[in-house]
Amino acid sequence: MLQQVNGHSSGSDAPNLSFLREGLQEFLGSDAPLHQLDDLTKVNPVTLETVLRCLQARYMADKFYTNAGCTLVALNPFKPVPPLYAPELMIEYHTAPQPQKLKPHIFTVGEQSYRNVKSLMEPVNQSIVVSGESGAGKTWTSRCLMKFYAVVAASPTSWESHKIAERIEQRILNSNPVMEAFGNACTLRNNNSSRFGKFIQLQLNRTQQMTGAAVQTYLLEKTRVAYQASNERNFHIFYQICKGASEDERLQWHLPKGAAFSWLPNPEKTLEEDCFEVTREAMLHLGIDTPTQNNIFKVLAGLLHLGNIWFADSEDEAQPCQLMEDAKCSLRTSALLLQLQEDLLLETLRIRTIKAGRQQQVFRKPCSQAECDTRRDCLAKLVYARLFDWLVSVINSSICAGPDTWTAFIGLLDVYGFESFPDNSLEQLCINYANEKLQQHFVAHYLRAQQEEYAVEGLEWSFVNYQDNQTCLDLIEGSPISICSLINEECRLNRPSSAAQLQTRIESALAGSPCLGHNKLSREPSFIVVHFAGPVRYHTAGLVEKNKDPVPPELTGLLQQSQDPLLTVLFPSNPKEKAQEEPSGQSRAPALTVVSKFKTSLEQLLQVLHSTTPHYIRCIKPNSQGQPQTFLQKEVLSQLEACGLVETIHISAAGFPIRISHQNFVERYALLRRLYPHTSSGLYSHYLTKRTSEWPAEEATLHLLQDILHTLPALTQTLATHTDPAEATTAAVHCGRTKVFMTDSVLELLECGRAQVLEQCARCIQCGWRRYQHRKQERQRQAATLLQAGEWGRTPVSYSLCHLPLKLSYRTSGHFVISLLFLATSSAVRSWLTRKYIQRLHTAATVIKHAWQKWRTRMAFLASKELDGIEEKQAPGLGSCSPLSPAQTRLPGAVIRLWPLGLVLANSGVGVRGFQRKLVVCACLHLPSSSPSNYNVQTAQQDQAGVTSIRALPQGSVKFHCRKSPLQYADICPEPSPCTVTGFNQILLERHKLIHG
C-alpha cells in the first residue's frame, strides 16, 4: 500500500489543508485524467496537492517525466526501462519537427539545447543543470544525455571523419564508468552516489558535430577512503578489484579470497556497479594500457593493506608507538606494493619532523596513537586524490579537442544532491552549500530576474511570491562574518582547535540570522543550518582539521622516494614545487583551505552557467528505499517544497520564457513579410504605438517590427488550417522597451513561417537554375544539330541551313525568332531526307521482287516443257496383253482438281494411312454418287508401267516412281511458302514424306 499524506506541517495548519482537500475533492476524485497531463502548468488550481496527485498518477502509469513550465521533473523509476532510452527513441526526438509536441523526456531538453546551438542565437552555449537529492537519478540522467548527444551530434560526411567521430563518441561514453568507479560509492540513500561534482563540456564544431569533451571535477570526498559511515561502502573500485581480479592478479596484488580489510566494509553486498571488466575495458578505450592498469590496481591494493596498519599507544611519550602484531604483515605488504622501504614507511608514520628557529633546525618528535592513525589516513587520502586527478587529466587528454576545432559547447552539470545524515561534517556542508548556490542561480534566472525584467520592460505583471535562499547563503558565505569565514579563521590561529569553542563562536557571531539554529538537547557540539531543502545539523568536531587538510611534508617526501612508476608520476621530485610548497620567513602566505578552494571553483562554475542558456532537470526520489511502483507522498512533498516547484509553475504558466531583442528579432524574422506583403492588422499595434516614444530603437526597426507582428494572425490561421482549428488562438506576444516577449508556441509559429519563406526562396532559386540549365542544354543541342546538318552531304540546302541562323542574327535581335525559324527549317530538311531514303529502299525492293518472280516463272516453264516432251517406253511383256476397253479406261463424270493423284496424296496428312488415306483420295477426286460401285481405285500390278504425260488422265492404275528424277531442274526449289505447292517438282522433292505417310 502506498503511504498517503493526511496533513502537512509546514506553511499551514491541518484544518486548512483538510478544507483545501474537500474543495478539490471533485477535481482530484479520479486519477484517470491526471496522468494524461504532460505539463503541470495545465493543472488547475496549481497547488502542492494537485501537483503531487498529478505526479503520483503519472508515476503509477509508468510516465516518469513531466514538464513543469521551464523545468523538467524526472521521477526515478527504480527499475530498468530499456525502451525509454533506446537509440531509436533518440532519433525520433532528434528528427521530430516539434519535439515539444512529443511526450516529456530528457531527450526533449537535450534536443532543445542542441537546436539552440544550431540557431546561433545568443548566448549560443548551453548548459543543463541536473539537480535533486542523493538517489534521485542525477547520474543516470547525465549518462543518458551524453549518449543522446553522442548519437545526434555525430553525423560526419566521410568514412574517415566517421571513424574519428565514432572514436570520440566511444571515449566520451567510456569516461562515465571510469569516473563512477573511482568517484562513486554506496551511501545510505543511493547505491551509486556521486562523491564528487563534475561539469562535462561537450564541444561542438561549426557544423554542430561533437569533436570532443572536457571534464571538470569539484571536491572529491577523499575522506571516504579512510572513513565510511555505518552501512555505507568505500569507492566502487576497491570492491571491483577484490571481486573481479583473476587468480594471478590476486597473487600479484596480495588480495587472497576472504581477506578482511578495515577500509572495505560491507563486502558481501553485491551491486550492479561492481563490474570490474567494464571498468578495465573503458580504461583501455581511454588510452590506459594493461600494464598501467595493473600498476593502478596494485597501488589501490597497497592502500587497502595500509588501512590494516594499527598502532598501540606507547607508555613513554618519548618513544614512538609500537606496531601491533597483526599489522606487521600488512606493513610489509603495503610497502612492497607501493615500492617503499618498510623501515622508512614505518618511521614516517610514527615520527613527526618539526623545523624551528631561524636556522630551520629539524626536530623529530614521536607521534601519539591518534596522530599515527591520522598520518596513515592522510597518506592514503593523498595518494587517492592524486590518482583521481591524474585519471581526470588522462581522460581530458584523450577526449578533449583543440581550441581551434570547436566553437560552442553544451555543458552537463552533475553535482551531489542535497544531503542530510545523522553525522554531517565538512563534506556535507560544502555539498549543501553548492546546492544552495545552484538554487539561487535558478531563482535568479527564472523567478526573480524574469519578474523584474517584466517590470523594467513595461509589461503588466502581477508578482509571484517565491522562496529566496539569499539569507541562507549570507549565513554560509556572507561578508564580513559567516560560517566559512569563522572556520577559516580557526584554521589560521596558532592554537589547538576546540569543537565547543567553534560552536560558541558561530552561535554568538551569527545569532541574528534566521537560518541558524541550535539543538540544546544535543550532547555533541553542533549547529543547525536551515537550508532551502530543510534543516541540517553539522557537528563541529573535526571540522577545522578537515578544512585545513594538512599534508605533512615528510609524507610527500616519502612518496617521492617510491620506485613505483605511477607514484613517480604522481609525486615528482621537483625542487621548484618544493620551494613553492614550503616558503619560509615572513613571505609565507596563508594556506588555502578546503572551503576556500571549493568556493573559488564554485564561483568559476557559476560564471560559466551565467554565460550560457540554462536548462533545468529536477530529479525527484519517490521513496528512500529504492522500491519501484512506490510513491511516498510525504517524501515527494518535501522535495517539491524545497525546490520551489510550485512557484516555478505559476511563473512559467503566466510568463514568457522566450525573450529576444528588437534588433535580433528583426534580423531573423524580417523575411516573414514576404508571405503576406499586404497584411494589415491592428491586433498588435497597441503594443507598438503605446510606447513608441519611449523606445530607444530606430524608426526603421520599429516599422519592420510592426510589419512582422502583423503577419502573426495570418500565420496562426494558416497553421490552424493545416493542423488543428483549435490552435487558431491569439498569439501570446508582447513587445517591451528593448525586447520582444513570447511563449514557446509563438516561437514555433515564427520558425514555421520562416521555414516556409526559406522554402519559397529555395524554390525560386531552383527554378532559375533549372531554367538556365535548360536553356544552356537547348543551345548546345541546336549547335550540335547545325554541325550535323553541315556534315550531311554538304548540299546547297544544308549549306544554306548552316548559315541561316548567322544571317538572321545580323538582321534580328530576338533569339526566339531565330530558334523558331531554325526548328521549322530543320524539320523540313529531315522530312525530305527521310522520304528520299524510303523511296530508294522501295525501288530496290521492287527490282528484287520482279527479278524473283521472273526467275520462278522461267523455272516452272522449263519443268513443264521437259515433262511434256518425254515418252514412256513400253516395258517387256506388256505387248501381249490385250488393251483395256474404253468403258474401263474412261471415268465418266469424274472431276479432277487440276493435279494428278500423286499431288493429292502429297497434300494429304502425313500421318494418314490405310482406309483414311482412301477416303482422302475419294474426297479429292469428287466421284459421282450414282453407281459408285463402277469406280474403284486399284493398286498397280507389278507388270504395269507408268503414265504418258503429266496432264493425261490416268490409264488404269497409277504407279509412282521413287527413284531419282532424270529431269534437269527436278532438284531445284526456290524456297516456296509452306502453304503453297509449285508443281510436280515439289512432288518429287517430298517423296520421302509420301513414302512414310
Side-chain angles (χ1 to χ4, degrees), residues 274-567:
D274 294 341
C275 187
F276 189 43
E277 293 299 327
V278 174
T279 304
R280 300 201 67 165
E281 185 179 358
M283 295 175 70
L284 193 63
H285 282 290
L286 291 173
I288 305 175
D289 53 9
T290 304
T292 306
Q293 293 182 25
N294 294 332
N295 197 357
I296 293 173
F297 302 140
K298 185 181 67 172
V299 171
L300 294 178
L303 296 184
L304 288 179
H305 286 282
L306 184 65
N308 286 349
I309 300 177
W310 296 97
F311 297 92
D313 198 0
S314 177
E315 298 179 357
D316 187 2
E317 295 182 357
Q319 298 297 326
C321 296
Q322 297 298 322
L323 193 66
M324 299 183 67
E325 292 296 332
D326 298 338
K328 293 181 180 180
C329 180
S330 299
L331 176 66
R332 186 181 310 108
T333 306
S334 178
L336 178 64
L337 293 174
L338 298 178
Q339 294 193 16
L340 297 171
Q341 298 181 11
E342 182 179 353
D343 297 337
L344 184 60
L345 175 60
L346 181 60
E347 180 183 353
T348 306
L349 296 179
R350 298 191 303 174
I351 298 176
R352 181 176 57 177
T353 302
I354 302 175
K355 293 182 180 181
R358 295 182 179 180
Q359 288 79 19
Q360 293 291 309
Q361 296 180 0
V362 179
F363 299 94
R364 298 168 60 86
K365 180 182 178 181
C367 300
S368 62
Q369 180 185 2
E371 291 176 345
C372 291
D373 294 341
T374 302
R375 293 169 72 88
R376 176 203 60 199
D377 298 345
C378 182
L379 180 63
K381 292 187 293 183
L382 178 62
V383 173
Y384 195 84
R386 290 283 185 96
L387 176 61
F388 185 81
D389 294 338
W390 178 80
L391 281 175
V392 173
S393 63
V394 170
I395 292 174
N396 284 330
S397 62
S398 176
I399 66 178
C400 187
D404 299 334
T405 59
W406 60 278
T407 57
F409 69 86
I410 299 177
L412 300 179
L413 180 60
D414 177 17
V415 295
Y416 4 63
F418 182 82
E419 292 184 351
S420 178
F421 299 116
D423 186 8
N424 302 289
S425 186
L426 184 68
E427 293 81 11
Q428 282 69 40
L429 179 62
C430 293
I431 289 173
N432 295 336
Y433 168 51
N435 281 271
E436 290 283 351
K437 295 290 288 186
L438 292 176
Q439 176 67 14
Q440 186 198 40
H441 176 265
F442 174 75
V443 169
H445 184 79
Y446 276 110
L447 302 182
R448 183 179 63 233
Q450 192 172 23
Q451 298 190 77
E452 292 178 355
E453 188 176 15
Y454 292 161
V456 171
E457 291 289 334
L459 272 68
E460 297 179 359
W461 179 259
S462 59
F463 283 80
V464 177
N465 295 324
Y466 56 86
Q467 182 181 0
D468 192 359
N469 64 336
Q470 184 60 44
T471 306
C472 183
L473 285 174
D474 293 337
L475 173 65
I476 298 176
E477 64 169 4
S479 179
I481 301 177
S482 61
I483 295 177
C484 292
S485 64
L486 292 176
I487 296 176
N488 290 334
E489 185 177 349
E490 284 289 329
C491 295
R492 290 192 294 268
L493 295 177
N494 191 12
R495 66 180 184 185
S497 60
S498 173
Q501 187 176 0
L502 178 61
Q503 176 189 1
T504 304
R505 289 196 63 189
I506 291 175
E507 291 179 351
S508 60
L510 303 172
S513 177
C515 295
L516 180 66
H518 60 278
N519 188 3
K520 297 181 180 180
L521 300 179
S522 177
R523 297 180 180 179
E524 299 178 356
S526 62
F527 61 93
I528 298 176
V529 177
V530 182
H531 293 280
F532 74 96
V536 179
R537 185 167 65 98
Y538 299 98
H539 296 276
T540 57
L543 202 64
V544 177
E545 286 74 13
K546 290 183 177 180
N547 189 35
K548 288 181 180 179
D549 194 19
V551 178
E554 51 267 25
L555 294 182
T556 305
L558 171 67
L559 294 172
Q560 289 176 349
Q561 298 179 19
S562 173
Q563 300 300 320
D564 185 79
L566 179 61
L567 293 179

Side-chain angles (χ1 to χ4, degrees), residues 807-827:
K807 296 178 181 179
L808 290 174
S809 63
Y810 288 104
R811 298 177 182 179
T812 61
S813 60
H815 295 282
F816 183 72
V817 177
I818 296 177
S819 300
L820 290 178
L821 292 175
F822 175 79
L823 290 176
T825 308
S826 177
S827 177

Side-chain angles (χ1 to χ4, degrees), residues 165-307:
E166 189 177 20
R167 183 171 66 253
I168 294 173
E169 169 192 346
Q170 189 65 31
R171 288 182 177 180
I172 292 175
L173 295 180
N174 284 326
S175 64
N176 270 332
V178 175
M179 299 193 70
E180 289 181 10
F182 286 85
N184 290 21
C186 176
T187 62
L188 294 175
R189 294 190 174 187
N190 187 7
N191 291 337
N192 190 29
S193 176
S194 298
R195 309 317 302 161
F196 70 103
K198 62 176 178 291
F199 182 71
I200 304 174
Q201 190 182 69
L202 304 177
Q203 300 160 348
L204 306 175
N205 58 10
R206 295 183 182 273
T207 58
Q208 290 78 46
Q209 297 176 7
M210 190 162 56
T211 60
V215 181
Q216 185 177 0
T217 59
Y218 304 95
L219 191 65
L220 174 69
E221 190 188 11
K222 57 186 179 181
T223 56
R224 184 170 290 270
V225 178
Y227 172 76
Q228 304 83 30
S230 179
N231 296 327
E232 291 191 356
R233 300 204 319 175
N234 208 327
F235 290 104
H236 293 322
I237 188 62
F238 292 105
Y239 298 90
Q240 291 181 2
I241 61 176
C242 291
K243 295 181 180 180
S246 62
E247 294 297 332
D248 295 338
E249 292 171 344
R250 290 181 182 275
L251 292 176
Q252 295 176 10
W253 304 337
H254 297 272
L255 295 175
K257 289 185 177 180
F261 299 98
S262 59
W263 288 352
L264 204 67
N266 303 316
E268 70 282 352
K269 189 175 183 180
T270 303
L271 300 178
E272 182 183 356
E273 290 75 19
D274 294 341
C275 187
F276 189 43
E277 293 299 327
V278 174
T279 304
R280 300 201 67 165
E281 185 179 358
M283 295 175 70
L284 193 63
H285 282 290
L286 291 173
I288 305 175
D289 53 9
T290 304
T292 306
Q293 293 182 25
N294 294 332
N295 197 357
I296 293 173
F297 302 140
K298 185 181 67 172
V299 171
L300 294 178
L303 296 184
L304 288 179
H305 286 282
L306 184 65

